[in-house]
Amino acid sequence: MIAAYLVLLIPLIGIVFFAFAGHRADTGRINVRFNAICLLATVWLAINVLNDGTILSANKAFLIDSFNVYLIVLTAFVGFTTSIFSAPYMAHEKDIGRLTDKRLKLYYSMYQGFMLAMYLVLTTNNMGTMWVAMEGATLATVLLVSLYRTPESIEAAWKYFILCGVGIAQALFGTILLYYAAAQIGDGENALLWSVLYDNTEKLNPEVLEIAFVFLLIGYGTKIGLVPLHNWLPDAHSEGPTPMSAVLSGLLLNDALYAVVRNKMLVDGATHSNMAGYLMMGFGLLSFLVAALFLHRQKDIKRLFSYSSIEHMGLMTFAFGMGGPLATFAALLHMTVHSLTKSAIFVTVGHASQIAGTQSMDKIRGLIKTQPRVGWGLLIGTIAIAGFPPFGVFTSEFLVLLATMHNYPWLAPLLLLGIGIAFAGLFRHIQPMVYGEKPEHQQPIKANLWPVMIHLALVLWLGLAIPGFLAHWFSQATLLISGSAPL
Amino acid sequence: MNIEQQDLYTQAILSLAALVGLTSFLMLGQSRLLRLIFVFAMQGSLLALTAGLAAYSQANHHLYISAVMTLMLKVIFIPWMLRREVIQMNTQRDIETLKNKTLLMLGGASLMVFSYWVLHPIVHTSPAIMLNALAVSLSVVLLGMLLMITHRQAVAHVVGFMSIENGLFFAAIVATNGMPMVVELGIAFDVLVAAVLFGIFFFHIRTSIDSLDVDKLNRLNEVDK
């Protein structure tokens, strides 16, 4: 349990430290160290869970089980590799005069603040605290979206703030209804604890929970970026600094989906109908298809990949909604591989736009000729996210497709169509950017591509063979969520 | 349900619910910013009163803390901040033209009916007062959204945003006697941070577009220009 407290304590110290000492020249490296220590703490936590099973803290405030433990490690890992990327990236942004010392201080402090909110969403056992942390994640990142202080970035941040704020308020109404249902069966202060609720789902009032789930799905769905609540996402991702886009896409969306699934488990237990599942399937499939179509219309490279994130989150929501062991297993795997791949892509996108000096895709050309590693990184990342074998995204998408063919065969053509459209949408933009002649005065920049290589190697590994301990967690989590073991 | 047969506490809560709903309608039709902020502060004080009343009659002491926090945040701090902003921008005399006020009010009324319809299924299992309280809270939330859609000033958006929070808070007090203390403190903290961030944002928006009219924030869109 000490490990769990450490995971929360380290970013808390980080916030305070950077708020006072964020102007030092080596803050980038210190940020890497904070995240590295945190990663070690999460690995320690993971080993504990692997040995002892589910951990419930003494005051029941924190719960670590097989569903959230791998997400915690994933969060720490992506946070760590992104911080490696962010150090030279932010130094470069400062050199070209886009940022000042004061804003860097804010950036590093809020980076840790965001990490803290993410860990809190994942570790907490209290559905109310989960909401508070989710809102906290918005508040921590909203000033980072407007970090460059351009009119566009301020507009994006305002939109992000208002839409996510109003959206997440719906989730609070859902949580209040959940608490109301729980208070009817007694247990006062403990009534919002997930572990208590989960043991008593049979007694919860199904009518109240059905209404509550609609609000919870809309609320957290705004954060997942489900269509038609997705408007903030491409703006916030494209206008903020690139490391922020990497963690938003890789972590925030996952955690919002995690919150929805936790709530779905309660609602399913109470209602005995698949109402929650159908809602998630509908929203998920709609997001998947709409985002795939929108990929074709993009002009800004970061907007392109934010729509790709919406598409993948839609697919995961769909898979979780479908339920059943196979689809749930696939969705868990897809959460992992998507966040690894997407954060790797955003890192290369950051380098590519620094090389070209713009985010406009019409002006980024000849990346392989200018700096082969960035070019290949972007190309391989795109191949991985588009769902080519042998990468992990292929495996999980294939499993989702299998489950769909098994349960809802008439939806399978729609899925295939969406995957095809998304593939075409990505490659029509990426191909001219990586190949082709380089513009005359385009120079390579100082770039650290280790994070990208490690991420893509992991995705490849997950596509070829899932390591035993991870498969164990996935199976345990599948058992927990869907009620039966996979395969 | 006959209101005279209820105990005094229930009667008081129902009256307060009606008043909170009324303030939401008053805000919806308000075209002067300073008056909008004043009505918002009124709504906040009604909430603080509700929390205090619930704390007293249910002997639930942690609700006193909630009442005090509401009083400080939503009656004093946020209205003060917004008022200062309006006066600094010299917009206190501006009248915002709301298109078709009658339709707006009818829209608001139908949202209220909609809230009752949405929450009607819980009537079988809950006391009748619950339906009223929850439906009024939900309609305050929805009216807050309508307020944000129809007004163009950033200040009005913040008022709408905070009145959504008010609706949620009312639901939490009446339906469940407040959330657990940890959660309530967390929510208050989030509201406080949000209020401070809004203040920072006003400054940024003003320096970037030289006004607080959010219709001018229109650079980012999917349509080719």
Side-chain angles (χ1 to χ4, degrees):
Chain A
M1 205 56 234
I2 305 164
Y5 292 126
L6 264 183
V7 170
L8 294 170
L9 195 64
I10 294 164
L12 193 63
I13 299 171
I15 299 175
V16 180
F17 176 78
F18 287 118
F20 288 105
H23 54 281
R24 288 168 45 167
D26 56 345
T27 33
R29 262 179 294 154
I30 298 175
N31 190 32
V32 174
R33 272 172 222 156
F34 265 108
N35 284 295
I37 300 170
C38 218
L39 178 62
L40 289 180
T42 58
V43 171
W44 181 22
L45 180 67
I47 293 170
N48 282 343
V49 174
L50 203 60
N51 291 336
D52 312 336
T54 304
I55 300 177
L56 188 64
S57 72
N59 53 1
K60 290 190 180 172
F62 300 101
L63 170 82
I64 322 284
D65 60 13
S66 41
F67 182 23
N68 57 15
V69 69
Y70 83 93
L71 284 171
I72 295 170
V73 180
L74 185 69
T75 302
F77 182 71
V78 174
F80 168 62
T81 49
T82 309
S83 70
I84 296 179
F85 155 66
S86 115
Y89 182 90
M90 296 315 272
H92 180 88
E93 297 289 283
K94 195 186 148 198
D95 289 341
I96 59 172
R98 288 185 82 181
L99 289 174
T100 58
D101 268 340
K102 223 172 140 190
R103 286 190 214 155
L104 273 183
K105 203 190 244 187
L106 175 77
Y107 168 80
Y108 283 116
S109 183
M110 284 301 111
Y111 191 103
Q112 293 295 329
F114 173 74
M115 295 309 289
L116 174 67
M118 290 290 94
Y119 293 130
L120 193 57
V121 170
L122 291 171
T123 50
T124 184
N125 186 24
N126 187 321
M127 302 313 280
T129 313
M130 187 185 274
W131 183 88
V132 171
M134 212 66 196
E135 169 87 355
T138 315
L139 298 174
T141 44
V142 73
L143 281 183
L144 295 185
V145 172
S146 67
L147 198 67
Y148 293 134
R149 302 280 192 271
T150 57
E152 284 86 2
S153 66
I154 289 171
E155 179 185 339
W158 178 258
K159 214 171 180 181
Y160 173 44
F161 197 3
I162 293 286
L163 278 177
C164 276
V166 172
I168 206 95
Q170 311 306 306
L172 182 56
F173 193 72
T175 310
I176 292 171
L177 286 177
L178 183 67
Y179 185 51
Y180 171 60
Q184 285 180 330
I185 57 172
D187 216 6
E189 287 277 306
N190 284 333
L192 261 181
L193 296 183
W194 188 85
S195 51
V196 174
L197 287 167
Y198 189 67
D199 292 337
N200 295 305
T201 44
E202 293 286 326
K203 294 184 217 149
L204 294 173
N205 182 340
E207 275 113 2
V208 176
L209 253 67
E210 272 183 12
I211 302 171
F213 186 75
V214 174
F215 284 98
L216 287 163
L217 181 64
I218 292 175
Y220 291 127
T222 314
K223 287 233 114 149
I224 304 177
L226 294 179
V227 173
L229 312 159
H230 67 288
N231 273 36
W232 64 272
L233 194 145
D235 293 344
H237 282 51
S238 62
E239 297 305 324
T242 309
M244 228 49 241
S245 322
V247 288
L248 283 179
S249 252
L251 304 179
L252 180 69
L253 308 184
N254 263 0
D255 286 13
L257 184 60
Y258 164 83
V260 171
V261 175
R262 279 271 181 211
N263 282 302
K264 176 178 184 277
M265 290 157 80
L266 301 177
V267 176
D268 279 351
T271 58
H272 297 293
S273 69
N274 201 14
M275 190 279 299
Y278 289 138
L279 273 178
M280 284 175 78
M281 278 172 71
F283 270 112
L285 198 58
L286 182 71
S287 315
F288 177 67
L289 293 173
V290 170
L293 286 170
F294 265 105
L295 283 176
H296 287 261
R297 291 184 56 98
Q298 300 311 313
K299 297 201 177 322
D300 181 307
I301 186 164
K302 277 158 85 179
R303 286 184 85 90
L304 178 79
F305 284 109
S306 7
Y307 273 103
S308 158
S309 293
I310 300 176
E311 178 217 335
H312 285 277
M313 292 321 288
L315 189 69
M316 287 174 223
T317 313
F318 173 76
F320 274 123
M322 192 155 47
L326 192 58
T328 309
F329 187 90
L332 293 169
L333 178 61
H334 200 82
M335 270 172 122
T336 317
V337 288
H338 171 258
S339 75
L340 286 173
T341 320
K342 194 47 71 60
S343 43
I345 288 177
F346 270 113
V347 171
T348 45
V349 163
H351 289 312
S353 54
Q354 276 188 342
I355 291 173
T358 173
Q359 283 175 208
S360 161
M361 287 192 283
D362 296 335
K363 295 190 183 116
I364 305 177
R365 286 290 178 264
L367 285 176
I368 289 186
K369 286 206 170 139
T370 317
Q371 196 164 2
R373 280 201 288 176
V374 174
W376 283 112
L378 186 58
L379 188 64
I380 297 173
T382 313
I383 288 176
I385 204 77
F388 266 93
F391 289 101
V393 181
F394 168 77
T395 318
S396 53
E397 284 188 348
F398 187 70
L399 288 176
V400 174
L401 197 62
L402 266 186
T404 316
M405 285 203 268
H406 192 68
N407 298 320
Y408 302 92
W410 46 280
L411 285 177
L414 278 179
L415 273 192
L416 279 173
L417 188 72
I419 293 174
I421 295 173
F423 166 75
L426 284 172
F427 270 85
R428 70 184 274 190
H429 294 304
I430 294 301
Q431 203 262 350
M433 281 197 282
V434 293
Y435 295 115
E437 285 306 313
K438 67 167 186 174
E440 273 172 26
H441 42 269
Q442 190 160 290
Q443 290 302 323
I445 52 152
K446 203 178 140 206
N448 184 351
L449 282 169
W450 279 109
V452 179
M453 290 182 213
I454 297 169
H455 279 207
L456 292 178
L458 280 176
V459 174
L460 185 66
W461 185 22
L462 287 175
L464 296 171
I466 301 173
F469 66 94
L470 199 58
H472 168 74
W473 279 335
F474 283 162
S475 311
Q476 291 285 311
T478 307
L479 187 65
L480 191 70
I481 298 168
S482 70
S484 48
L487 311 176
Chain B
M1 180 184 73
N2 193 345
I3 193 161
E4 286 157 21
Q5 289 158 2
Q6 307 291 331
D7 56 55
L8 274 177
Y9 169 68
T10 311
Q11 289 188 26
I13 289 290
L14 283 174
S15 319
L16 282 167
L19 285 173
V20 169
L22 178 69
T23 49
S24 260
F25 274 98
L26 284 178
M27 283 196 271
L28 191 60
Q30 199 54 256
S31 45
R32 279 177 194 273
L33 285 177
L34 283 186
R35 228 176 272 167
L36 182 68
I37 296 165
F38 177 72
V39 180
F40 170 73
M42 290 289 294
Q43 192 175 50
S45 43
L46 285 172
L47 280 180
L49 192 63
T50 316
L53 189 69
Y56 176 72
S57 63
Q58 311 280 319
N60 198 342
H61 294 295
H62 85 247
L63 273 178
Y64 281 122
I65 304 174
S66 309
V68 173
M69 284 193 302
T70 313
L71 194 69
M72 288 194 304
L73 264 176
K74 290 187 176 143
V75 186
I76 300 168
F77 176 66
I78 295 173
W80 168 78
M81 186 193 84
L82 292 173
R83 194 187 150 82
R84 203 189 54 162
E85 199 63 38
V86 169
I87 290 171
Q88 261 182 13
M89 278 302 284
N90 213 7
T91 47
Q92 69 266 45
R93 290 184 208 292
D94 291 7
I95 293 176
E96 200 172 3
T97 41
L98 296 172
K99 284 176 205 143
N100 211 341
K101 258 190 193 173
T102 327
L103 202 62
L104 185 59
M105 283 299 162
L106 280 176
S110 37
L111 281 181
M112 193 149 211
V113 176
F114 175 74
S115 312
Y116 271 89
W117 179 77
V118 166
L119 290 164
H120 201 259
I122 68 163
V123 132
H124 311 298
T125 47
S126 319
I129 169 190
M130 226 33 106
L131 175 67
N132 285 303
L134 282 175
V136 167
S137 330
L138 181 57
S139 60
V140 169
V141 171
L142 295 176
L143 289 171
M145 287 189 197
L146 189 63
L147 174 78
M148 292 170 85
I149 295 168
T150 48
H151 287 61
R152 290 176 295 119
Q153 292 288 332
V155 172
H157 279 216
V158 176
V159 171
F161 185 93
M162 290 296 168
S163 93
I164 291 176
E165 287 279 333
N166 281 351
L168 296 171
F169 184 62
F170 190 76
I173 308 168
V174 178
T176 60
N177 277 321
M179 306 285 271
M181 202 57 219
V182 198
V183 181
E184 207 140 295
L185 284 175
I187 294 172
F189 176 72
D190 278 351
V191 170
L192 177 67
V193 175
V196 172
L197 284 182
F198 275 125
I200 299 174
F201 258 99
F202 285 147
F203 175 70
H204 290 327
I205 295 178
R206 223 167 35 195
T207 45
S208 93
I209 61 171
D210 201 29
S211 119
L212 281 178
D213 185 341
V214 287
D215 271 5
K216 292 190 182 150
L217 291 173
N218 56 3
R219 285 160 183 262
L220 299 167
N221 53 25
E222 289 301 334
V223 187
D224 301 326
K225 274 181 279 190

